[in-house]
Amino acid sequence: MAKLDPIRTTTSVARVQTAGFAGLLFLSGAAGLIYQVLWMKELGLLFGNTAQAAATTLTTFFLGLAAGGWWFGRVSGRSARPLVLYARLELAVSATALLYFGLPGLYRRIYPSLFDTIGGFPAAFTLCKVLLSLGLLGPAAFCMGGTLPLLVQHVVRNRQKLGTVTPVLYAVNTVGAAVGACAAGFWLPRWFGFAGSYWIAVGMTTAVGIVALVWSGKQADGNKQRQATAGARPPLTESARVVALLAGLSGVVALGLEVLWTRMFAQTLHNSVYTYAAILVVFLIALGAGSITASVLARRFGLSQSTLSLLLTFAGVLVAATPAQFVFLTQNDAYLGGTESWGAYMALVFQTVALALFPATFALGMTFPYLMKMSEPIADSSGRTIGNLVAINTVGAAFGSLVAGFVLLEWFGLWASILLLGGLYLPAALFVARREPWLVRIPSIAGIVFVLIAFFGDRFPVVRISGDKEVLHEVWEGSAATVAVVEHGDDLRIKVNNFYTLGSTRASRHQRLQSDLPLLVHPKPRRVYYLGMGTGITAGAAIAHPEVEEITVTELLPDVIVAARRYFSEHATGLFTDPRATIVAADGRNYLAATTDIYDVIIADLFTPWRAGVGSLYTREHYRNVASRLADDGVFAQWVPMFQVTESEFRVIVRTMLEVFPRVTVWRGDFLGHDSIVGLLGLKSHVPLDVERFHQRALPIGELRGSQISNSYLIYYCGSLTTEVSHVGEGPISTDDYPLLEYEAPVNHRREKAGEVARFSGRPLVDWLETVTGDPAGDSWLQHSNAAHHLIVQAGTAYHRFKAAEKAGDEKTRTAAYDRYLALMQALMR
């Protein structure tokens, strides 16, 4: 019988054990990103979807990770059984993560008091948000930060393997994070809701902790064995200070670039939850691949300053090339995707992002893990060394994301900021190579390449302009978005992130109508709130209503306020100068949740439901919050862009509103016949409309606006809906836990582009609106109306059908509808 080789057997067992531990880190990384995504979502609802609020949450998370890495790195070296401590820490992550189910409710109860007390002091209010964030995610993040150092302390028992084994573990953890980001971005919330997804993450970390605890009983004493197998300490080849500085620099550059690259792709993607997830997934996979490669380089070259210098130079040059790659791949910032359906579109997104970012991110991913090899001579224990490195790197990441988003973008713009961050690696490479003259030449040559790239990069477009048809007036590259004012013929418009139009002067009449209708429906609208401003034309329409005493407008993007004030003041008819108006740069939903003010009318702007974060403006919780801020006879106007929604999505919106408002009245926002908008006016009571008063108040407004159809705004009225008569059938609603629109609308948006589904516009919309209208004489909300008023409503239906048929080229229906419209108008005049 052949004898077993004890050395080979021991090595094989060690490899199997390491693979098992890597599996634990994979699951831990996946759960960690699921937690992070859900925390960002929850605190976004609480603090608002502003860049500042997101930065507050992300910074708190990173600082928690850093603190945990630093603390447990020190503890690991003194622990007799680091695997047991690791297992307990994973279980502690699960336990502290359960704060998610309790603290947000408490925060919502105290948040209005905080807002009233210190809302006017931004620094103090931001500090309160940081403290609230710490209370929710700080404990779990702290525990997460300690998991890698503790497991490394157990696995890496020979200091000389710190730079070869640890990068592999780090890579597996990072790839696990990519899988978690993909699951949280694409599937889990759609299938299980946010609460269900969170329980899955809790289950994952609990399972990891239990498995590690079971394995710990079968493992040898990690620290004693490590001491027994550790070799003699190698001579010092690099100072701890330099390694620490490079670790921090790596974090600054990597996370700063993630912020900038995400903004870069925001100029060409439809910016849904899925496209943001795609960018993050590619970024994390590339970092993981780089970490694996760093392990290979460490095995091949060992402790090599020349290798580190070349890696830094290589990464810097590839980063500098990303703007040119992006402009080439997107054909000068063109909107990505033509008629591709959902699957093909997302494949195109992944392909484009990978081609543009993977090479540079892969190079970035090699630099930090290679520092683990450079740390071997100065390592006193593997866990403490990795804990220190990860802590410094994570603090740098937090700093880099803040500086990139709030300083570099506003001071230097997108392209220069990318070059600046990539360029930070060149002096670092020169410093590392300072003792080898031949090596100094390579970063020096790379510096010349940087200068050339910077020269040509200055010519890259920030905002895509359509030939001679558009003129760019001004652009702002702020922390939240890229905002531009462009002129297209005689039409002045605001564009956000290249393709999202917030409003234009050509549509001024329709934008003012979005104010006029709800203000006329309310018997005496004294206090009015606008959720979203855009050009300010809609909110400015309230100035003409004599009953209005106070106007509050919130706009998410501060640069939009600057642009509207500078270029649209005349069209906003006094909004920026009238003392009744107050304009606040804030998340509108968050502002309503915080304020204790009561309004007569609340008007929500047109919000495209497939954009990330917008789905929260169509949920039951949001509508309940709106209703709580309305007076007893208050009116809430939800304007819906029918050219951006399918019939199923529109029905979800209606059903969700009817969950909160006992009556919802339906109004046309135009008579275009295509690309229409529809107003859903939620009423807190069943009190019928005082039609005569409505008519009398509408006359002077109609004359001021120059109405071309009728002197009565009642022509825009379609009908009223209640839970008993909803005309949308039974079906799902959208909630904060299951935000259907946020996840379904992006898919349907691409399916519509491919011709697989249709927008709810044109003839199908007219048919539904006609069903809602029915016989106006039987409309309980119009019980104080007369036959003339009924004729006006019916005339609106006929005219809308005429315009829809005209657009569709249906001559027979067009003629019949127009004849009916004329007959109704003639009957009205008799």
PDB file of all heavy atoms in Angstrom, residues 89-105:
ATOM      1  N   LEU A  89     -18.815  37.746  15.155  1.00  0.00           N
ATOM      2  CA  LEU A  89     -18.962  39.056  14.528  1.00  0.00           C
ATOM      3  C   LEU A  89     -19.989  39.010  13.399  1.00  0.00           C
ATOM      4  O   LEU A  89     -20.783  39.940  13.228  1.00  0.00           O
ATOM      5  CB  LEU A  89     -17.600  39.518  13.993  1.00  0.00           C
ATOM      6  CG  LEU A  89     -17.377  41.037  13.890  1.00  0.00           C
ATOM      7  CD1 LEU A  89     -17.620  41.710  15.232  1.00  0.00           C
ATOM      8  CD2 LEU A  89     -15.963  41.323  13.397  1.00  0.00           C
ATOM      9  N   GLU A  90     -19.985  37.928  12.624  1.00  0.00           N
ATOM     10  CA  GLU A  90     -21.005  37.787  11.568  1.00  0.00           C
ATOM     11  C   GLU A  90     -22.401  37.715  12.184  1.00  0.00           C
ATOM     12  O   GLU A  90     -23.355  38.308  11.663  1.00  0.00           O
ATOM     13  CB  GLU A  90     -20.727  36.538  10.735  1.00  0.00           C
ATOM     14  CG  GLU A  90     -19.503  36.626   9.830  1.00  0.00           C
ATOM     15  CD  GLU A  90     -19.738  37.481   8.590  1.00  0.00           C
ATOM     16  OE1 GLU A  90     -20.814  38.119   8.494  1.00  0.00           O
ATOM     17  OE2 GLU A  90     -18.852  37.523   7.723  1.00  0.00           O
ATOM     18  N   LEU A  91     -22.524  37.013  13.289  1.00  0.00           N
ATOM     19  CA  LEU A  91     -23.816  36.948  13.979  1.00  0.00           C
ATOM     20  C   LEU A  91     -24.183  38.317  14.549  1.00  0.00           C
ATOM     21  O   LEU A  91     -25.369  38.692  14.570  1.00  0.00           O
ATOM     22  CB  LEU A  91     -23.758  35.907  15.095  1.00  0.00           C
ATOM     23  CG  LEU A  91     -23.582  34.451  14.642  1.00  0.00           C
ATOM     24  CD1 LEU A  91     -23.394  33.527  15.844  1.00  0.00           C
ATOM     25  CD2 LEU A  91     -24.776  33.999  13.801  1.00  0.00           C
ATOM     26  N   ALA A  92     -23.166  39.068  14.981  1.00  0.00           N
ATOM     27  CA  ALA A  92     -23.429  40.422  15.479  1.00  0.00           C
ATOM     28  C   ALA A  92     -23.906  41.334  14.357  1.00  0.00           C
ATOM     29  O   ALA A  92     -24.728  42.231  14.582  1.00  0.00           O
ATOM     30  CB  ALA A  92     -22.170  40.996  16.130  1.00  0.00           C
ATOM     31  N   VAL A  93     -23.390  41.115  13.141  1.00  0.00           N
ATOM     32  CA  VAL A  93     -23.880  41.880  11.991  1.00  0.00           C
ATOM     33  C   VAL A  93     -25.379  41.658  11.827  1.00  0.00           C
ATOM     34  O   VAL A  93     -26.161  42.599  11.649  1.00  0.00           O
ATOM     35  CB  VAL A  93     -23.129  41.476  10.704  1.00  0.00           C
ATOM     36  CG1 VAL A  93     -23.811  42.087   9.478  1.00  0.00           C
ATOM     37  CG2 VAL A  93     -21.671  41.918  10.765  1.00  0.00           C
ATOM     38  N   SER A  94     -25.797  40.400  11.898  1.00  0.00           N
ATOM     39  CA  SER A  94     -27.223  40.081  11.768  1.00  0.00           C
ATOM     40  C   SER A  94     -28.046  40.739  12.872  1.00  0.00           C
ATOM     41  O   SER A  94     -29.114  41.312  12.618  1.00  0.00           O
ATOM     42  CB  SER A  94     -27.434  38.566  11.805  1.00  0.00           C
ATOM     43  OG  SER A  94     -26.790  37.947  10.722  1.00  0.00           O
ATOM     44  N   ALA A  95     -27.538  40.661  14.100  1.00  0.00           N
ATOM     45  CA  ALA A  95     -28.283  41.218  15.232  1.00  0.00           C
ATOM     46  C   ALA A  95     -28.408  42.731  15.121  1.00  0.00           C
ATOM     47  O   ALA A  95     -29.499  43.291  15.305  1.00  0.00           O
ATOM     48  CB  ALA A  95     -27.599  40.827  16.542  1.00  0.00           C
ATOM     49  N   THR A  96     -27.304  43.412  14.835  1.00  0.00           N
ATOM     50  CA  THR A  96     -27.364  44.882  14.750  1.00  0.00           C
ATOM     51  C   THR A  96     -28.098  45.342  13.503  1.00  0.00           C
ATOM     52  O   THR A  96     -28.677  46.429  13.499  1.00  0.00           O
ATOM     53  CB  THR A  96     -25.942  45.465  14.765  1.00  0.00           C
ATOM     54  OG1 THR A  96     -25.154  44.835  13.734  1.00  0.00           O
ATOM     55  CG2 THR A  96     -25.265  45.236  16.101  1.00  0.00           C
ATOM     56  N   ALA A  97     -28.087  44.512  12.453  1.00  0.00           N
ATOM     57  CA  ALA A  97     -28.814  44.885  11.234  1.00  0.00           C
ATOM     58  C   ALA A  97     -30.314  44.945  11.480  1.00  0.00           C
ATOM     59  O   ALA A  97     -31.045  45.618  10.733  1.00  0.00           O
ATOM     60  CB  ALA A  97     -28.506  43.893  10.116  1.00  0.00           C
ATOM     61  N   LEU A  98     -30.797  44.258  12.509  1.00  0.00           N
ATOM     62  CA  LEU A  98     -32.228  44.267  12.813  1.00  0.00           C
ATOM     63  C   LEU A  98     -32.713  45.644  13.259  1.00  0.00           C
ATOM     64  O   LEU A  98     -33.927  45.881  13.318  1.00  0.00           O
ATOM     65  CB  LEU A  98     -32.547  43.225  13.883  1.00  0.00           C
ATOM     66  CG  LEU A  98     -32.316  41.761  13.472  1.00  0.00           C
ATOM     67  CD1 LEU A  98     -32.616  40.828  14.638  1.00  0.00           C
ATOM     68  CD2 LEU A  98     -33.173  41.407  12.266  1.00  0.00           C
ATOM     69  N   LEU A  99     -31.785  46.553  13.561  1.00  0.00           N
ATOM     70  CA  LEU A  99     -32.188  47.933  13.873  1.00  0.00           C
ATOM     71  C   LEU A  99     -32.948  48.557  12.706  1.00  0.00           C
ATOM     72  O   LEU A  99     -33.713  49.504  12.896  1.00  0.00           O
ATOM     73  CB  LEU A  99     -30.947  48.776  14.191  1.00  0.00           C
ATOM     74  CG  LEU A  99     -30.188  48.411  15.477  1.00  0.00           C
ATOM     75  CD1 LEU A  99     -28.878  49.191  15.547  1.00  0.00           C
ATOM     76  CD2 LEU A  99     -31.049  48.707  16.691  1.00  0.00           C
ATOM     77  N   TYR A 100     -32.730  48.021  11.517  1.00  0.00           N
ATOM     78  CA  TYR A 100     -33.414  48.497  10.297  1.00  0.00           C
ATOM     79  C   TYR A 100     -34.933  48.477  10.468  1.00  0.00           C
ATOM     80  O   TYR A 100     -35.638  49.314   9.888  1.00  0.00           O
ATOM     81  CB  TYR A 100     -32.982  47.599   9.135  1.00  0.00           C
ATOM     82  CG  TYR A 100     -33.680  47.830   7.817  1.00  0.00           C
ATOM     83  CD1 TYR A 100     -33.178  48.738   6.894  1.00  0.00           C
ATOM     84  CD2 TYR A 100     -34.815  47.112   7.470  1.00  0.00           C
ATOM     85  CE1 TYR A 100     -33.793  48.923   5.668  1.00  0.00           C
ATOM     86  CE2 TYR A 100     -35.439  47.288   6.247  1.00  0.00           C
ATOM     87  CZ  TYR A 100     -34.924  48.196   5.341  1.00  0.00           C
ATOM     88  OH  TYR A 100     -35.534  48.372   4.132  1.00  0.00           O
ATOM     89  N   PHE A 101     -35.425  47.533  11.258  1.00  0.00           N
ATOM     90  CA  PHE A 101     -36.875  47.376  11.382  1.00  0.00           C
ATOM     91  C   PHE A 101     -37.478  48.225  12.500  1.00  0.00           C
ATOM     92  O   PHE A 101     -38.691  48.288  12.630  1.00  0.00           O
ATOM     93  CB  PHE A 101     -37.228  45.902  11.611  1.00  0.00           C
ATOM     94  CG  PHE A 101     -36.885  45.016  10.458  1.00  0.00           C
ATOM     95  CD1 PHE A 101     -35.767  44.195  10.498  1.00  0.00           C
ATOM     96  CD2 PHE A 101     -37.661  45.014   9.316  1.00  0.00           C
ATOM     97  CE1 PHE A 101     -35.438  43.375   9.435  1.00  0.00           C
ATOM     98  CE2 PHE A 101     -37.345  44.211   8.244  1.00  0.00           C
ATOM     99  CZ  PHE A 101     -36.229  43.384   8.297  1.00  0.00           C
ATOM    100  N   GLY A 102     -36.640  48.862  13.302  1.00  0.00           N
ATOM    101  CA  GLY A 102     -37.178  49.655  14.393  1.00  0.00           C
ATOM    102  C   GLY A 102     -36.827  51.116  14.362  1.00  0.00           C
ATOM    103  O   GLY A 102     -37.698  51.981  14.526  1.00  0.00           O
ATOM    104  N   LEU A 103     -35.563  51.415  14.124  1.00  0.00           N
ATOM    105  CA  LEU A 103     -35.115  52.801  14.225  1.00  0.00           C
ATOM    106  C   LEU A 103     -35.740  53.743  13.191  1.00  0.00           C
ATOM    107  O   LEU A 103     -36.050  54.887  13.536  1.00  0.00           O
ATOM    108  CB  LEU A 103     -33.590  52.855  14.136  1.00  0.00           C
ATOM    109  CG  LEU A 103     -32.841  52.379  15.387  1.00  0.00           C
ATOM    110  CD1 LEU A 103     -31.351  52.525  15.202  1.00  0.00           C
ATOM    111  CD2 LEU A 103     -33.298  53.156  16.610  1.00  0.00           C
ATOM    112  N   PRO A 104     -35.921  53.343  11.917  1.00  0.00           N
ATOM    113  CA  PRO A 104     -36.513  54.293  10.958  1.00  0.00           C
ATOM    114  C   PRO A 104     -37.865  54.846  11.397  1.00  0.00           C
ATOM    115  O   PRO A 104     -38.161  56.021  11.204  1.00  0.00           O
ATOM    116  CB  PRO A 104     -36.626  53.471   9.673  1.00  0.00           C
ATOM    117  CG  PRO A 104     -35.510  52.488   9.770  1.00  0.00           C
ATOM    118  CD  PRO A 104     -35.451  52.123  11.229  1.00  0.00           C
ATOM    119  N   GLY A 105     -38.701  53.980  11.987  1.00  0.00           N
ATOM    120  CA  GLY A 105     -39.989  54.464  12.475  1.00  0.00           C
ATOM    121  C   GLY A 105     -39.832  55.501  13.562  1.00  0.00           C
ATOM    122  O   GLY A 105     -40.544  56.512  13.598  1.00  0.00           O
TER     123      GLY A 105
END
